[in-house]
Amino acid sequence: MIQNIGFGLGLRPDHYEAILADRPRVDFFEALTENYLVPGGKALHYLDRIRQEYALVLHGVSLSIGSTAPIDRDYLKALKTLMHRVEPAWVSDHLCWTGTDGVNLHDLMPLPYTREALRHLVPRIREVQDTLGQRILLENVSSYVAYQSSEMSEWEFLAQLSREADCLLLLDVNNVYVNSVNHQFEPDEFIRGIPVDRVAQIHLAGHERQESFIIDTHDAPIVEEVWALYRRTREHLGSVSTMIERDAHIPPLEELLAELDIARGQAAAKAAA
Ligand SMILES: [Fe+2]
């Protein structure tokens, strides 16, 4: 059973003090795993204090589940220690690869949507889930290139993967929209292809529109096309925990709270429609 924990925001250091001082109306915070893996220090101190007041989920960028390099056992060990400390509602990372042979590209690279890639990913996801003792969420990434070798659509790949590996999905609605423009597919077909029982969380974010493609910048308010797709996603999935990501040009907390209220309104509008 996947719990709905409501409407959340990304936890950003710029907002630590305001969160503790104002106790804003946020149902949960999503903390970036890698910021809290080193014991001690200011970041972990704030995380502990915020955790006392709020539900928390952990979101990582280093798992590199698609890589051909072995799963980083030290990273999993540190993650498990953090999980014991803050008891997140769940842990997520990205369906991507970030490097191999000791090289970190510092980017979330897409995978080819092939049966071979599925055979590669399934035991790796199971290894991670067995080590952590729970299912993880994997997020669909935005991309600017596609592989000629792909044998199925991104959504068919996500559906098969989540069933075969018994993992959950973090559906980033902005990334679906970005990819639909960059790779020219119908975003609603993507949404309809996602198995309802696998999605535990939704991401919303802003992006930068170029003439014929979109750069996924997470530095701007959510655009109307993404809100509209979010409403249609809720019609397909029902009520799912939703969170707004802002990674650059971080505005004052009030601005993000106002955007989160829009998300609440969009979800209610769907229910009333
Ligand atoms: Fe995301």
Side-chain angles (χ1 to χ4, degrees), residues 105-212:
L105 300 170
H106 298 289
D107 218 336
L108 308 173
M109 306 294 288
L111 288 154
Y113 306 128
T114 62
R115 282 180 287 277
E116 187 187 8
L118 285 174
R119 281 195 298 276
H120 175 65
L121 284 161
V122 167
R124 288 170 66 88
I125 296 170
R126 287 190 180 275
E127 180 188 339
V128 171
Q129 296 189 144
D130 288 348
T131 305
L132 299 181
Q134 63 186 62
R135 291 192 290 179
I136 58 169
L137 281 60
L138 287 174
E139 174 178 355
N140 57 301
V141 295
S142 54
S143 59
Y144 312 96
V145 291
Y147 296 88
Q148 282 183 340
S149 58
S150 284
E151 299 161 344
M152 61 190 94
S153 65
E154 186 181 354
W155 53 96
E156 287 167 333
F157 189 80
L158 285 163
Q160 278 201 42
L161 182 72
S162 58
R163 288 197 188 98
E164 289 178 24
D166 190 25
C167 67
L168 298 169
L169 298 173
L170 195 173
L171 182 64
D172 189 311
V173 173
N174 178 59
N175 291 353
V176 172
Y177 181 75
V178 167
N179 286 359
S180 78
V181 173
N182 289 350
H183 306 305
Q184 298 183 343
F185 60 77
E186 177 54 54
D188 291 85
E189 204 182 331
F190 189 123
I191 298 298
R192 283 194 301 271
I194 294 298
V196 172
D197 59 343
R198 293 284 167 188
V199 181
Q201 187 186 343
I202 287 174
H203 269 176
L204 295 170
H207 60 244
E208 188 182 306
R209 180 104 204 192
Q210 303 291 328
E211 210 144 285
S212 59

Side-chain angles (χ1 to χ4, degrees), residues 3 27 32 34 36 41 46 55 61 91 98 108 133 140 149 166 172 185 188 202 214 217-218 220 235 243 257 273:
Q3 51 183 148
D27 300 318
L32 290 172
E34 286 72 14
Y36 305 97
Y46 277 111
V61 292
V91 171
T98 58
L108 308 173
N140 57 301
S149 58
D166 190 25
D172 189 311
F185 60 77
D188 291 85
I202 287 174
I214 293 177
T217 47
H218 293 186
E235 280 169 29
M243 174 267 179
L257 291 170

